[in-house]
Amino acid sequence: MGIKDVIPSPTKSYSSSSLGKWLGFVTAIWVQAISGNNYTFSNYSDALKSLMSLTQLQLNNLSVAKDVGKAFGILAGIASDRLSTPVILLIGSVEGLIGYGVQWLVVSKRIHPLPYWQMCIFLALGGNSTTWMNTAILVTCIRNFRKNRGPVSGILKGFVGLSTAIFTDVCSALFANSPSKFLLMLAIVPAVVCLTAIFFLREVPQTITNTAAQQKEESKYLNFLNIVAVVVALYLLTYDLSGKHSHLLSLLFASGLLFLLVVLPLCIPLYSMFKNSNSNNSNDVETSVQHNGDQVQEEETQTGETEMGEKSVLVAEEKDLETDQVVEMDYKKPILGEDHTILEAVQTLDFWILFLSFLCGVGTGLAVMNNLGQMGVALGHADVSIFVSLTSIFGFFGRIGSGTISEYFLKNYATPRPLWNAASQIPMCLGYAVLAFAIPGSLYVGSIVVGFCYGVRLAITVPTASELFGLKYYGLIYNILILNLPLGSFLFSGLLAGFLYDAQATKTQGGGNTCVGAHCYRLVFVIMALSCVVGLALDVLLVFRTKNLYKKIQISKKSS
């Protein structure tokens, strides 16, 4: 028996791994396209407010409870190192089904409104479900595409950004913006998609040689998926801006969206399978011709290889013993760019700079998303679905654009990724200023600018954390960072926006309240603009602290 009979062909091994990797990535896109349900609160918040007779502070605290569910994403981070990807997805799908299912029962009046504290629990369950989905997707895909973390993060986070618009527009097209039917979609659709992804999403072993040709092929496929994502975003934007639609046109829109999300991405794994199948057939012919000539040579060298192998094992064992002694005697903390445990990461200044700058960006952005319903009423807009969709769609452009652009400038100019976070804080600050002055069309401008910059922040922070603190414990480190979502929601939405709105509002019958006019949120926007200035300073500091690391990363990418 020769060596070729024992060791599988590298081309065959790459073929099967490539197919599995791309099929998994496509199903990951599907999961991300429905896992942004946590950003859709404004679509049904008014229904909850009137049904439960809530003040704005009480309603905002319900939105905080939804975001507090993400604080328990730490559990998903811990589980990511111990449980398989399918199990993590299953947990997320069940939680979402329960959390949003109960909210649907309440809003559809199939059951009486639950006590306030119980509603907080079910909103938290719905919010926590997305952390399991996102952890499973991001950890698995970042590890599968180590050489293209920026574009992969941009695509995945981009579809999360689009998911709010996808849910909003489909509900508008099929159910005329019914809050109860919208919640039913949030309960059922993510569960079905996650159960589908369970069968395909796996971490691919990194044992195959990643040649320059394979890297080029990978980049080409990612560029195609970028184009698909942009087409989906423009398709949604066209539907939003084209006014009212007939029932037939709405059905055609929903069918076209399904085609863009399901059929087009599947072209990549199908093409990869077809291409590698042809490649394997030609390689098998060459192997059969060479096999007889190689077999004699293999048998002659087998004895020598065995002796050399035994010597190599002895040398390796000696080196292992030496390494163990060094580790026991002289432990050194990892430097920036190496694998950190969570305890090692939180002991670094860079972690807390990233954490606090992230808070300034996503915390203020969440306050806008959670309060869009009441902001629209305050500024004279009866229907806020267009603003929810604009925030989602331009959040997508921020996510997908920043992922690809940051990767390009990193590879060519060693530009630190945190620079793009710093750049996003400037227009975000200006967007809050526009909202504060409440000029005509300010909510359109604010929705677009805030959505775009929020998307940049999310997409850039994902690969930045992996580059600063490594991939080994990435799942847990990522979920520590997104504690900023519930924390920012509590500070900026629950406390700041809730208290300041109620101070301006007038009470209504039943115990609720309402406020109409630009003054309702003016001070909120001014304070959030100042927070963005603080975030800008922190991001600039991180740029200077990490520029040497990103120079090394650039050299590594060029050499590979």
Side-chain angles (χ1 to χ4, degrees):
M1 179 185 289
I3 293 175
K4 290 182 181 178
D5 297 317
V6 178
I7 301 176
S9 165
T11 307
K12 288 183 179 179
S13 181
Y14 172 73
S15 173
S16 59
S17 297
S18 176
L19 175 62
K21 182 167 72 171
W22 287 109
L23 195 56
F25 189 62
V26 169
T27 56
I29 286 174
W30 295 344
V31 173
Q32 295 289 259
I34 50 81
S35 62
N37 44 20
N38 207 40
Y39 299 114
T40 61
F41 185 70
S42 293
N43 283 325
Y44 57 92
S45 60
D46 269 346
L48 283 175
K49 186 176 182 179
S50 60
L51 192 65
M52 299 177 67
S53 299
L54 302 176
T55 66
Q56 188 61 33
L57 181 61
Q58 289 173 319
L59 182 68
N60 282 5
N61 284 333
L62 270 185
S63 73
V64 171
K66 159 185 71 70
D67 295 321
V68 163
K70 293 185 177 180
F72 295 96
I74 294 175
L75 299 176
I78 295 171
S80 68
D81 292 327
R82 293 166 173 80
L83 300 178
S84 65
T85 300
V87 174
I88 297 173
L89 284 172
L90 181 63
I91 294 172
S93 63
V94 171
E95 273 196 325
L97 186 62
I98 296 172
Y100 289 104
V102 171
Q103 293 177 63
W104 166 70
L105 291 173
V106 170
V107 172
S108 63
K109 300 181 181 179
R110 282 170 170 77
I111 62 174
H112 290 293
L114 299 176
Y116 186 79
W117 67 271
Q118 291 183 16
M119 287 298 294
C120 287
I121 290 175
F122 286 110
L123 264 85
L125 268 179
N128 183 247
S129 68
T130 61
T131 66
W132 292 87
M133 299 177 197
N134 291 337
T135 299
I137 296 304
L138 287 173
V139 171
T140 305
C141 291
I142 289 290
R143 288 174 177 171
N144 283 349
F145 296 89
R146 295 168 187 251
K147 300 291 185 182
N148 285 287
R149 300 180 198 183
V152 165
S153 170
I155 291 170
L156 294 176
K157 283 297 182 181
F159 275 100
V160 174
L162 283 180
S163 62
T164 304
I166 290 169
F167 277 124
T168 302
D169 288 351
V170 169
C171 182
S172 173
L174 301 181
F175 310 120
N177 290 322
S178 167
S180 62
K181 291 176 180 176
F182 184 82
L183 280 166
L184 186 61
M185 284 176 56
L186 296 185
I188 294 177
V189 174
V192 172
V193 175
C194 283
L195 290 176
T196 303
I198 281 173
F199 295 100
F200 301 104
L201 186 62
R202 297 286 188 279
E203 186 173 335
V204 177
Q206 298 293 314
T207 56
I208 302 102
T209 302
N210 199 359
T211 64
Q214 290 163 6
Q215 288 186 36
K216 186 177 180 181
E217 179 185 76
E218 189 171 288
S219 297
K220 182 173 66 175
Y221 292 168
L222 290 173
N223 287 336
F224 174 79
L225 292 173
N226 267 323
I227 293 171
V228 171
V230 171
V231 170
V232 172
L234 293 175
Y235 185 75
L236 292 167
L237 186 61
T238 302
Y239 180 80
D240 287 333
L241 298 178
S242 56
K244 294 187 178 295
H245 310 90
S246 66
H247 181 65
L248 176 60
L249 194 61
S250 297
L251 288 176
L252 291 174
F253 160 77
S255 302
L257 184 61
L258 191 65
F259 174 81
L260 292 174
L261 288 173
V262 177
V263 178
L264 281 187
L266 277 176
C267 292
I268 292 297
L270 292 176
Y271 175 75
S272 176
M273 179 176 66
F274 175 76
K275 181 180 177 182
N276 289 317
S277 174
N278 289 340
S279 176
N280 285 341
N281 289 337
S282 63
N283 284 335
D284 287 343
V285 172
E286 292 176 6
T287 302
S288 63
V289 172
Q290 295 174 357
H291 180 72
N292 290 332
D294 291 343
Q295 186 172 3
V296 175
Q297 185 177 350
E298 287 169 6
E299 289 175 353
E300 290 175 353
T301 57
Q302 190 172 13
T303 305
E305 287 177 353
T306 303
E307 293 175 358
M308 291 293 292
E310 290 174 354
K311 290 179 182 179
S312 298
V313 170
L314 291 173
V315 171
E317 289 176 350
E318 290 174 3
K319 287 184 177 179
D320 286 342
L321 289 174
E322 291 173 6
T323 304
D324 290 341
Q325 289 175 357
V326 171
V327 170
E328 289 176 5
M329 294 173 60
D330 185 22
Y331 168 76
K332 291 194 301 183
K333 289 184 179 180
I335 62 173
L336 204 63
E338 295 179 347
D339 286 326
H340 287 64
T341 65
I342 186 59
L343 291 178
E344 290 166 342
V346 298
Q347 291 175 25
T348 65
L349 178 60
D350 302 284
F351 179 87
W352 291 109
I353 295 174
L354 182 63
F355 185 91
L356 292 175
S357 69
F358 194 48
L359 175 65
C360 293
V362 300
T364 57
L366 268 178
V368 172
M369 294 177 191
N370 288 339
N371 287 271
L372 267 178
Q374 289 66 51
M375 288 176 183
V377 172
L379 296 177
H381 300 279
D383 183 11
V384 297
S385 61
I386 180 64
F387 304 114
V388 175
S389 290
L390 287 175
T391 304
S392 173
I393 292 168
F394 282 91
F396 157 79
F397 285 121
R399 296 172 200 231
I400 202 164
S402 61
T404 303
I405 292 171
S406 67
E407 192 74 20
Y408 172 82
F409 278 91
L410 170 55
K411 287 180 178 178
N412 291 280
Y413 305 104
T415 305
R417 283 196 212 271
L419 179 65
W420 303 101
N421 279 339
S424 72
Q425 296 282 20
I426 299 172
M428 202 170 201
C429 181
L430 295 176
Y432 293 138
V434 169
L435 287 167
F437 286 110
I439 60 178
S442 61
L443 202 52
Y444 287 94
V445 176
S447 299
I448 291 170
V449 172
V450 171
F452 183 86
C453 297
Y454 183 88
V456 171
R457 168 66 66 175
L458 283 177
I460 291 296
T461 302
V462 169
T464 299
S466 71
E467 288 158 349
L468 267 57
F469 307 111
L471 283 171
K472 188 173 183 181
Y473 304 101
Y474 174 70
L476 184 55
I477 290 172
Y478 167 75
N479 279 285
I480 293 291
L481 282 172
I482 64 169
L483 285 175
N484 279 294
L485 298 180
L487 180 59
S489 179
F490 172 71
L491 292 175
F492 293 104
S493 182
L495 292 182
L496 181 68
F499 276 120
L500 293 181
Y501 180 95
D502 283 347
Q504 303 288 339
T506 56
K507 290 186 180 290
T508 59
Q509 275 188 329
N513 65 12
T514 188
C515 180
V516 178
H519 63 285
C520 300
Y521 283 99
R522 178 169 289 132
L523 187 55
V524 176
F525 292 132
V526 170
I527 294 173
M528 292 198 301
L530 294 174
S531 299
C532 287
V533 175
V534 175
L536 172 62
L538 291 170
D539 286 323
V540 171
L541 176 60
L542 192 60
V543 168
F544 284 103
R545 291 182 60 86
T546 59
K547 62 180 182 179
N548 290 332
L549 168 65
Y550 280 98
K551 186 64 179 176
K552 293 178 183 177
I553 293 174
Q554 183 210 26
I555 294 170
S556 173
K557 285 179 179 288
K558 283 192 172 182
S559 63
S560 64

